[in-house]
Amino acid sequence: REAEKSEMLWCEATQVKEKFGGLRFYYDGGDEFISGMVTLAESMSYHICEVCGDRGKQTEQKWATTRCEKHKETRKWHTADG
């Protein structure tokens, strides 16, 4: 069992996509811990502004996005101020 713990766990991200205002991670390898971390990151992405990283919430304009109050009307992903 000790030999298993000392071996490096292999995990490779194959894709990261935005879908319905949140992130989707696709990967090969990993274990239950990695799966839990991916689930946590996907869940958190629905509460983080995709423009600046501040606390945000889902909005539905033309597309589902996750934005903070400052960027809720911003149409572009990148802005000059954030």
Side-chain angles (χ1 to χ4, degrees):
R1 184 78 179 145
E2 287 300 316
E4 290 178 30
K5 289 181 181 178
S6 66
E7 290 180 23
M8 190 80 123
L9 178 64
W10 177 81
C11 181
E12 178 183 19
T14 56
Q15 293 182 34
V16 179
K17 297 180 177 181
E18 182 277 328
K19 191 170 185 179
F20 303 117
L23 294 177
R24 293 287 186 275
F25 292 87
Y26 300 90
Y27 61 96
D28 292 327
D31 60 6
E32 289 180 15
F33 179 79
I34 297 295
S35 177
M37 295 301 289
V38 167
T39 299
L40 176 65
E42 288 177 341
S43 297
M44 288 178 65
S45 72
Y46 289 98
H47 305 282
I48 298 172
C49 177
E50 60 193 57
V51 176
C52 68
D54 202 358
R55 190 175 290 174
K57 60 182 176 179
Q58 289 230 281
T59 63
E60 289 199 31
Q61 297 165 355
K62 196 171 187 178
W63 308 104
T65 60
T66 304
R67 302 288 172 91
C68 65
E69 281 297 312
K70 180 179 176 183
H71 294 111
K72 69 180 179 182
E73 300 299 324
T74 304
R75 293 183 188 267
K76 292 183 178 180
W77 190 83
H78 290 286
T79 63
D81 65 342

